[in-house]
């Protein structure tokens, strides 16, 4: 039995569990999948987070992908990281680098159970800061320098591919090599604020082909998060990763208030399976109606008649949903052109909108040249910059 055959019916515990600790963020990236910015005052308390970690340990969840928002701005972030590793739950956290000081870098380098992923969406400041905000490139590079100086090997540099940076793949790989890091590239989805910028940012058909060719040639040493299986339809070379939508099968998201979604890119009530505050995470994962449905045999719709179906499996659920396409229809970036034809038939105003928006009210990028001086004034303060001074 292949991994695809085994995983499509789900596992007792997720193998790729994303946990967004907070929606607070000092940036306003235009493609943010969770529309982060302001802290939600209902976010899980330290005690609730520790109880959830205890549950992960009992389920034998090997590691969690911690994100946000910017997870390091939570005052109890390091306490939770230490608690997780002490309870045999490894932590891989994503950060824009704002809190990665030399001291923090040395602490991270000394741990065998914590991995770090620095977000960078341009190999130059001009390209990166257009998406992530002024000063964000310099902040990310400075964090990489601190990690490299501390001897942290193989931390990750995470890049969301856009039409502005596809041509920089070799440059991204050179940056990773310079700092002893590993390059990780992922697909842009029309999720969160990405729903508003997808038309502008998603790679063109020609760029998709270029990306596929680059992955076939260089992908062995590049992580992809299994996010490019829609490109497998080219069929001229094997791509790294699992060619399967793992939503609700091996993948899920726990958000800052404890809601459990089938996929980190599908934050919408349609894909909400339950909340850990009700009865814990385990019953949601193993018994929820939504996850049970996703683990049942799925119809590939019209895609099943395509010769590339076994390779691409119809593409990404979130990409289809947030562009108004049926879940059993073609991926909007289908390499055979079926998605483009399907999109032409989507009625104006019928495209679902992301359920949540925690964006900064003015929707402007926030410079990241700030330093933490004191904790937020009050626990319920929604302002992610509470406690920061310029």
């Amino acid at each position: 039995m292949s991994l695809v055959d085994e995983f499509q019916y789900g596992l007792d515990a997720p193998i790729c569990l994303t946990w967004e600790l907070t929606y607070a963020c000092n940036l306003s990236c235009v493609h943010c999948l969770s529309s982060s910015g302001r802290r939600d005052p209902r976010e899980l308390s330290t005690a609730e987070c520790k109880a959830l970690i205890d549950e992960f340990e009992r389920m034998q969840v090997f590691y969690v992908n911690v994100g946000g928002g910017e997870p390091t701005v939570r005052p109890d972030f390091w306490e939770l990281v230490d608690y997780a590793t002490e309870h045999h739950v490894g932590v891989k956290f994503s950060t824009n680098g704002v809190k990665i000081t030399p001291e923090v870098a040395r602490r991270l380098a000394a741990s065998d159970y914590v991995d770090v992923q620095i977000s960078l969406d341009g190999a130059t400041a001009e390209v990166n800061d257009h998406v992530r905000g002024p000063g964000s490139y310099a902040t990310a590079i400075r964090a990489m320098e601190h990690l490299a100086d501390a001897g942290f090997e193989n931390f990750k540099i995470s890049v969301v591919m856009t039409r502005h940076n596809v041509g920089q793949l070799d440059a991204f790989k050179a940056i990773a090599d310079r700092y002893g890091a590993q390059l990780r590239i992922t697909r842009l989805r029309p999720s969160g604020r990405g729903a508003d910028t997808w038309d502008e940012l998603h790679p063109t058909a020609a760029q998709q082909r270029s990306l596929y060719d680059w992955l076939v040639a260089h992908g062995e040493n590049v992580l992809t998060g299994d996010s490019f299986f829609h490109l497998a339809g080219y069929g001229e070379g094997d791509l790294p990763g699992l060619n399967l939508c793992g939503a609700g099968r091996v993948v899920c998201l726990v958000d800052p208030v404890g809601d459990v979604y089938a996929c980190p890119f599908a934050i919408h009530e349609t894909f909400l399976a339950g909340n850990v505050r009700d009865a814990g995470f385990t019953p949601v994962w193993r018994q929820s109606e939504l996850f049970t449905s996703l683990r049942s045999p799925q119809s590939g719709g019209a895609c099943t008649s395509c010769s590339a179906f076994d390779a691409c499996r119809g593409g990404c659920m979130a990409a289809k949903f947030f562009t108004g396409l049926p879940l059993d229809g073609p991926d909007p970036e289908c390499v055979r052109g079926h998605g483009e034809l399907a999109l032409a038939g989507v009625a104006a105003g019928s495209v679902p909108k992301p359920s949540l928006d925690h964006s900064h009210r003015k929707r402007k990028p926030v410079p990241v040249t700030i330093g933490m001086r004191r904790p937020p004034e009050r626990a319920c303060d929604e302002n992610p910059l509470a406690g920061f001074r310029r």
Side-chain angles (χ1 to χ4, degrees), residues 233-272:
Y234 285 120
E236 298 171 19
D238 292 333
L239 292 179
L242 179 70
N243 285 359
L244 171 74
C245 173
R249 300 178 175 101
V250 296
V251 173
C252 73
L253 165 76
V254 180
D255 83 350
V257 301
D259 282 337
V260 182
Y261 293 90
C263 169
F265 303 102
I267 303 177
H268 188 276
E269 57 187 15
T270 301
F271 305 105
L272 177 61

Side-chain angles (χ1 to χ4, degrees), residues 74-97:
R74 257 191 78 130
D76 60 357
F77 175 72
W78 296 112
E79 179 182 353
L80 294 175
V81 169
D82 289 343
Y83 189 84
T85 57
E86 289 166 2
H87 288 75
H88 313 103
V89 179
V91 173
K92 299 184 179 184
F93 74 91
S94 298
T95 176
N96 56 47

Side-chain angles (χ1 to χ4, degrees), residues 178-342:
R178 182 187 315 153
Y179 294 109
Q182 186 172 19
L183 180 61
R184 180 179 189 268
I185 63 174
T186 58
R187 182 184 180 186
L188 174 74
R189 267 84 163 194
S191 308
R193 283 196 294 272
D196 296 328
T197 58
W198 192 77
D199 287 337
E200 173 196 345
L201 292 181
H202 80 95
T204 65
Q207 288 176 323
Q208 296 275 7
R209 178 69 208 209
S210 174
L211 173 59
Y212 172 81
D213 291 340
W214 192 90
L215 281 172
V216 170
H218 306 284
E220 184 176 351
N221 296 313
V222 175
L223 300 175
T224 64
D226 296 329
S227 63
F228 294 108
F229 57 91
H230 70 294
L231 298 181
Y234 285 120
E236 298 171 19
D238 292 333
L239 292 179
L242 179 70
N243 285 359
L244 171 74
C245 173
R249 300 178 175 101
V250 296
V251 173
C252 73
L253 165 76
V254 180
D255 83 350
V257 301
D259 282 337
V260 182
Y261 293 90
C263 169
F265 303 102
I267 303 177
H268 188 276
E269 57 187 15
T270 301
F271 305 105
L272 177 61
N275 189 286
V276 301
R277 281 178 166 145
D278 295 333
F281 174 77
T282 306
V284 176
W285 175 256
R286 294 179 178 172
Q287 301 164 17
S288 71
E289 182 178 347
L290 173 65
F291 288 176
T292 299
S293 173
L294 289 171
R295 292 164 191 165
S296 64
Q298 303 292 310
S299 167
C303 287
T304 55
S305 63
C306 175
S307 61
F309 178 72
D310 286 342
C312 78
R313 298 277 173 156
C316 173
M317 177 183 76
K320 288 187 275 192
F321 182 79
F322 285 118
T323 52
L325 299 180
L327 298 185
D328 63 351
D331 189 287
E333 294 181 301
C334 168
V335 300
R336 300 294 182 89
H338 301 306
E340 185 176 358
L341 291 174

Side-chain angles (χ1 to χ4, degrees), residues 64 98 176 247 305:
V64 292
V98 68
S305 63

